[in-house]
Amino acid sequence: MSTIVAGHFQLQDEIDHARRELVRAGFPDDRICAFFLNQPGQHDQTAIGGDRLQSPGAKETPQGVLEGAAAGGAVGVAVGAATAFVTGPAGPIVGGLVGAHVGSLFSLSKMKEAGEKEEGSNANRYEPRKSGMLIAVAADQPDQEARAIEVLRGLGSHHIERAQGTIEGGDWTDFDPLSLPVLVQ
């Protein structure tokens, strides 16, 4: 496993130029990998397409809806029972159903907004990778890492990131498009 330095570019011509410059800087061509990175959610990682079977922000939804429905149902039954002299025996039943419905809807209002970070989580310290052209080079020595960063910076790379992985025969064999990039400062 090596330290991998990767740079993001917009155009194929920029990637071709970056590859030539990395080879000129002493990196073997078979330790350089270039590819187009799809948008988040379009990496075809599951059998039905997409990246995940469940949205990251939706993991607490079933529990929240059940809690809201239970609380709303209990309040509805109590209100229905208190008004049973007017509504008859159906009052507590209807009150419980209406309360459960309102309670479950209220729990949806507590869901996080798109892009909002999970509470107490540092898993979202970095932004997900943006789509575009990516060129990566394996840097086995600290001086190679600094040289790769210098070359990519000099070529105007939009983002430069550092990762651990394996590039063999020009292919980043263990690249995970869902991993969060560690950007180089």
Side-chain angles (χ1 to χ4, degrees), residues 13-54:
D13 290 344
E14 294 172 318
I15 291 292
D16 295 340
H17 181 64
R19 179 182 290 276
R20 286 191 302 273
E21 290 301 313
L22 287 167
V23 168
R24 204 170 75 130
F27 294 98
D29 193 48
D30 67 335
R31 305 280 285 158
I32 300 170
C33 175
F35 56 94
F36 181 80
L37 181 64
N38 290 335
Q39 296 179 33
Q42 297 183 1
H43 297 115
D44 236 6
Q45 299 280 311
T46 67
I48 60 170
D51 293 342
R52 296 179 173 96
L53 293 175
Q54 184 180 30

Side-chain angles (χ1 to χ4, degrees), residues 107-168:
S107 70
L108 293 177
S109 71
K110 295 174 129 181
M111 289 174 57
K112 71 180 201 70
E113 294 295 320
E116 183 182 341
K117 293 181 180 10
E118 300 277 341
E119 284 186 36
S121 169
N122 63 1
N124 291 328
R125 290 181 303 177
Y126 308 105
E127 294 293 318
R129 288 183 179 89
K130 306 251 187 296
S131 66
M133 297 300 299
L134 187 73
I135 188 163
V137 59
D140 296 317
Q141 305 296 323
D143 65 316
Q144 288 180 326
E145 181 180 344
R147 195 168 359 127
I149 291 170
E150 181 181 325
V151 168
L152 294 174
R153 242 189 215 131
L155 295 172
S157 174
H158 300 289
H159 298 92
I160 300 174
E161 64 180 83
R162 181 183 295 117
Q164 293 295 314
T166 305
I167 295 179
E168 294 176 339

